[in-house]
Amino acid sequence: MPILIAVLAFVGGAFFWYYRIRDASQGAREIIDLAERARGKYARWRFKGRADESLFATVDDPAVAATAFMVSLMACERRLDKTTEAAIRHEIRAVVDPKMLDELYVFSAWLGEQVHDPETLIRKFSRLWLAELSPEDRLEFHRMATRVASSGGQVPTDLQVSALRVLESRLKFTLAKV
């Protein structure tokens, strides 16, 4: 009988330790999985940041940047509708080759909708505008953006007015206040 008790105790102990080790390894696998998911999420966040930066870094045409800004300016408070699109196209028609107008607008609209705040585009493109546009061109660009914000008889929203002020400041000119 004592041998039977010893064998049962040994088998019971073996099962006990087997399940304890199995549960510990399962817990370790869950911790490793959690760490790998966190590492993957961080890597995706870093990649997204670099991809966003590279998207804006590829823009070297001030007309594309200006159109993207005007789209973002209108998309920040209102939906882009046909009237808004027509107003933006009318403004850029004077500075862009008519054959390239559709392509430029489509790319710029997509670029402008990638940001939630028009001031982001001002920060990204102000160096380009300062380097490529003359002071008269920068003033005209500001006027174009102001006309677009007022298109369709709309009154520019506070966010749009703020973005236009930041644009004025970044383009390094001051409009005479009336």
Side-chain angles (χ1 to χ4, degrees), residues 53-90:
E53 287 299 318
S54 67
L55 173 67
F56 295 109
T58 61
V59 176
D60 58 356
D61 183 0
V64 170
T67 305
F69 170 73
M70 288 187 278
V71 168
S72 176
L73 184 66
M74 296 309 289
C76 69
E77 289 287 329
R78 301 180 216 148
R79 303 277 309 162
L80 289 172
D81 56 9
K82 296 291 183 189
T83 306
T84 305
E85 181 179 338
I88 294 171
R89 284 176 180 266
H90 175 74

Side-chain angles (χ1 to χ4, degrees), residues 1-176:
M1 187 62 130
I3 293 176
L4 183 61
I5 293 175
V7 169
L8 287 175
F10 177 75
V11 170
F15 277 122
F16 172 79
W17 285 109
Y18 169 76
Y19 283 108
R20 293 283 297 200
I21 292 171
R22 188 185 75 172
D23 290 345
S25 68
Q26 178 65 26
R29 278 194 296 272
E30 288 176 7
I31 290 172
I32 290 169
D33 184 47
L34 181 67
E36 287 176 352
R37 278 188 273 146
R39 192 180 91 219
K41 188 172 186 173
Y42 175 72
R44 285 189 304 276
W45 175 76
R46 284 186 57 216
F47 177 77
K48 184 182 182 313
R50 282 185 276 154
D52 287 346
E53 287 299 318
S54 67
L55 173 67
F56 295 109
T58 61
V59 176
D60 58 356
D61 183 0
V64 170
T67 305
F69 170 73
M70 288 187 278
V71 168
S72 176
L73 184 66
M74 296 309 289
C76 69
E77 289 287 329
R78 301 180 216 148
R79 303 277 309 162
L80 289 172
D81 56 9
K82 296 291 183 189
T83 306
T84 305
E85 181 179 338
I88 294 171
R89 284 176 180 266
H90 175 74
E91 292 296 334
I92 62 173
R93 184 169 283 126
V95 294
V96 175
D97 180 16
K99 297 174 191 169
M100 300 299 293
L101 182 66
D102 288 333
E103 182 180 334
L104 180 134
Y105 181 80
V106 168
F107 176 70
S108 299
W110 175 78
L111 189 65
E113 290 173 349
Q114 298 304 307
V115 296
H116 301 291
D117 182 15
E119 293 182 22
T120 302
L121 290 177
I122 295 171
R123 285 191 304 277
K124 302 279 186 193
F125 295 134
S126 61
R127 287 186 185 150
L128 173 67
W129 292 324
L130 289 172
E132 297 289 327
L133 299 176
S134 69
E136 295 81 20
D137 291 339
R138 293 193 301 257
L139 181 60
E140 181 56 27
F141 165 46
H142 187 274
R143 288 179 181 150
M144 290 167 65
T146 303
R147 286 191 298 264
V148 166
S150 302
S151 67
Q154 299 279 341
V155 176
T157 64
D158 291 339
L159 184 62
Q160 290 171 325
V161 169
S162 172
L164 289 169
R165 284 188 186 134
V166 171
L167 178 66
E168 176 185 341
S169 171
R170 287 292 183 109
L171 294 179
K172 299 187 187 318
F173 65 85
T174 304
L175 297 172

